[in-house]
Amino acid sequence: MGVWYAFEGEECVQEVPRTGRRKFACVTGSWSLLGTWLVRVLLDNGYNVRFTIRTTVDEAAALMALPGAKQRLDLAQADIMDYGSLMEVFTGCDGVFHTSSPSDLVSTYPPEMVDFEVRGTLNIVEACANSSVKRLVLTSSLSAMVWDQQRHPEKVIDEKCWSNVDFCRSMKLWGPLAKTMSEKAAWSLARDRGLDMVVINPAIVLGLKMFGTTQCIFTYLKGVKELPQSGLFAYVHVEDVAKAHVSALEATDASGRYICFEDVVSEEKLVDLIRKLYPGSSIPSRFSKNGIAHVISNEKLKSLGVAFPAQQKIH
């Protein structure tokens, strides 16, 4: 890890809050789409930032070109399976963001990665608990909440909901299984260690990646043949997810889990999109029926000052 100068440069000195030293945050994990947006939002908010997500030379150059990056951004290296390297990069940090890769509805998630994600998340929690970190903001997923065959369709999906791990295994939903198991394990260890942890559970994350790749809703329609009963096409823009994470770090009364979504796409609209984008393909049987209404709430997130519609239905 390179040498870190917290207050190097005239620009940096001028931005130091009058009430004390500048806050120091570390962004780790493997999700560069959210990770890079977090760097941008944190720099805009005056933070010193340490970024440990692996990048190419061009990606690193793009990050260092951000306003304030030369003075306040440190590109470091860490392995989430190496506890020692995590302790090193967390030294001096007030907050940590762990942005593990997302698990959406159609991604192929290798089953052997479930255990890896659980163990890596536990390493993050343990290292935070034994360092200067005051709060860990963990990125989980809406998929850790919605997959439950026994849930009544009219029941509101909120922060009290958990996906059923047996159902996930039976349907081979390895991504949602990994998110559910890793988040539950993180909560158990964080409580045992007395670590202040807040979890953001975003829906499908869309938006322009800093390095030129666009992630859009159309990507998720390719190859979708069948969705289990609890499928939800809720989505949110990556910039709003990043801002929600920073709010979760800064709000003194933030606690527990926060569903993060902007809007939902009805099954009727999905059918129209599939017909428009892939006119030669047949409509998946899941979308050919009248969908059962599900209600999802992000009322809790609004308490952090993040403005989204309170409730949306998906059919």
Side-chain angles (χ1 to χ4, degrees):
M1 184 175 65
V3 177
W4 175 254
Y5 297 98
F7 305 108
E8 179 182 357
E10 181 180 357
E11 173 194 4
C12 191
V13 171
Q14 290 176 343
E15 292 180 0
V16 175
R18 294 179 181 179
T19 56
R21 71 176 182 86
R22 186 189 310 281
K23 290 185 178 180
F24 198 164
C26 182
V27 180
T28 188
S30 58
W31 192 5
S32 62
L33 174 63
L34 175 58
T36 53
W37 273 93
L38 267 172
V39 169
R40 176 180 290 183
V41 174
L42 287 166
L43 289 174
D44 287 346
N45 287 1
Y47 280 79
N48 294 318
V49 185
R50 184 169 292 151
F51 186 74
T52 72
I53 298 175
R54 189 171 301 172
T55 61
T56 66
V57 173
D58 290 341
E59 290 168 349
L63 285 169
M64 295 308 299
L66 291 172
K70 290 182 180 179
Q71 295 81 19
R72 295 185 279 112
L73 175 60
D74 178 27
L75 302 182
Q77 293 182 348
D79 180 355
I80 64 170
M81 304 307 291
D82 181 351
Y83 178 79
S85 72
L86 293 176
M87 287 296 293
E88 183 179 1
V89 295
F90 292 168
T91 298
C93 292
D94 303 290
V96 167
F97 300 91
H98 181 54
T99 62
S100 58
S101 297
S103 59
D104 53 60
L105 300 178
V106 299
S107 290
T108 55
Y109 189 100
E112 61 272 14
M113 287 294 293
V114 175
D115 181 64
F116 178 86
E117 184 161 346
V118 172
R119 290 189 291 118
T121 301
L122 289 176
N123 265 348
I124 293 288
V125 172
E126 188 70 45
C128 286
N130 293 319
S131 65
S132 60
V133 174
K134 295 179 176 62
R135 175 172 290 174
L136 165 65
V137 181
L138 176 69
T139 310
S140 183
S141 172
L142 185 61
S143 67
M145 299 175 163
V146 301
W147 301 103
D148 186 354
Q149 194 176 32
Q150 304 303 316
R151 180 175 295 127
H152 194 279
E154 295 181 359
K155 179 182 177 181
V156 175
I157 296 173
D158 60 17
E159 285 77 9
K160 296 185 294 293
C161 296
W162 286 94
S163 291
N164 185 300
V165 293
D166 292 330
F167 178 65
C168 289
R169 286 193 183 96
S170 68
M171 299 301 296
K172 298 183 179 180
L173 296 168
W174 307 120
L177 177 64
K179 285 291 176 284
T180 305
M181 291 182 61
S182 61
E183 188 189 338
K184 283 190 171 185
W187 277 119
S188 179
L189 183 59
R191 289 171 182 136
D192 182 66
R193 297 292 188 268
L195 175 67
D196 184 356
M197 185 177 80
V198 177
V199 174
I200 302 295
N201 298 79
I204 293 172
V205 179
L206 311 174
L208 181 65
K209 193 173 178 180
M210 192 177 301
F211 313 130
T213 304
T214 301
Q215 190 78 2
C216 68
I217 191 68
F218 301 149
T219 304
Y220 294 91
L221 301 181
K222 286 187 176 181
V224 177
K225 300 300 181 184
E226 196 82 14
L227 287 179
Q229 182 178 345
S230 300
L232 284 170
F233 271 92
Y235 67 88
V236 62
H237 192 276
V238 62
E239 182 176 8
D240 293 323
V241 180
K243 289 179 178 178
H245 278 68
V246 176
S247 295
L249 178 67
E250 294 181 340
T252 56
D253 58 347
S255 64
R257 315 165 82 198
Y258 291 87
I259 292 177
C260 183
F261 80 98
E262 176 183 351
D263 203 352
V264 294
V265 180
S266 68
E267 290 192 356
E268 180 181 2
K269 188 172 182 179
L270 283 176
V271 170
D272 291 340
L273 286 172
I274 293 171
R275 285 174 175 162
K276 179 180 178 180
L277 294 171
Y278 314 108
S281 63
S282 59
I283 303 298
S285 60
R286 175 66 178 91
F287 303 135
S288 301
K289 307 168 186 175
N290 293 325
I292 302 173
H294 290 266
V295 181
I296 179 172
S297 171
N298 55 16
E299 278 291 330
K300 187 180 177 185
L301 187 64
K302 293 171 66 178
S303 69
L304 297 183
V306 181
F308 293 118
Q311 290 187 346
Q312 294 287 342
K313 287 186 177 181
I314 182 166
H315 299 276

